[in-house]
Amino acid sequence: MTTGERHTVLQTATRLFCDRGYRNTGMGDICDACRLDIRTLHGTYPNKAALFAAVTRPVHDVLGRTAREDAGSMQCRQILGLLLDPACLRRCLDKRLKLIEKHRNLLRLLLFRSGGYPGPDFRQTVITGWQEYISGALRLMHEQELLSAYRLSAAFGRTVGALWVQIMEEIVRHPLTTDERERYLTELTVFLYNGNKGLFRILADAK
């Protein structure tokens, strides 16, 4: 498959998946729309799940990163500043909101049109990613792991992840107004700051 053919296939598959949903879109439908031989398509994408994964990879690349990928490149001091500085938190959250707004169409596909897809559930991927981000950052900053604090941070991370899923669903349904965006940023910043501050207080008291 040439580069041009691959680009056409991904664009066409995205459109058909979004219009019909994963379950109701076949490889033959995509071949017909692209005027491509089925053997050529299978040579690059052996099945529909592989093609769907390729279509949605941009979202996973920017929104589905784990804590190890995200926090692993940072120094402990930087992580501490991010988690306990409201201004840093707000910048991080603003960046994520922009990514959600940029990828609304693919997020709509993952959140509402992916029924029947055998791969990882996107909602659970987001929740797990936040869980690993917050609990993983604590592990990096403390040589002695405190089980109670780790469990609490994991639970807090899952709560944050579930909140992000809800936000993504709302943004996918309709674009945010300026007032709505400001409200999201303010509420999320306060929520994360208070939660992180409580976790670090537990760690400090346990030393």
Side-chain angles (χ1 to χ4, degrees), residues 28-39:
D29 300 324
I30 295 166
C31 285
D32 290 343
C34 296
R35 298 183 179 179
L36 192 68
D37 184 81
I38 189 71
R39 290 170 296 184

Side-chain angles (χ1 to χ4, degrees), residues 78-127:
Q78 292 175 305
I79 298 171
L80 184 63
L82 173 63
L83 295 179
L84 293 181
D85 183 339
C88 288
L89 277 174
R90 186 180 178 88
R91 285 194 296 271
C92 176
L93 295 170
D94 181 58
K95 180 180 178 180
R96 288 179 181 263
L97 278 179
K98 288 177 180 176
L99 290 172
I100 291 171
E101 291 168 327
K102 178 180 178 181
H103 295 282
R104 283 182 66 234
N105 286 336
L106 287 181
L107 284 169
R108 179 183 293 108
L109 174 57
L110 281 163
L111 291 167
F112 300 116
R113 309 290 284 167
S114 61
Y117 175 58
D121 178 76
F122 182 68
R123 289 178 175 83
Q124 189 56 50
T125 298
V126 172
I127 293 171

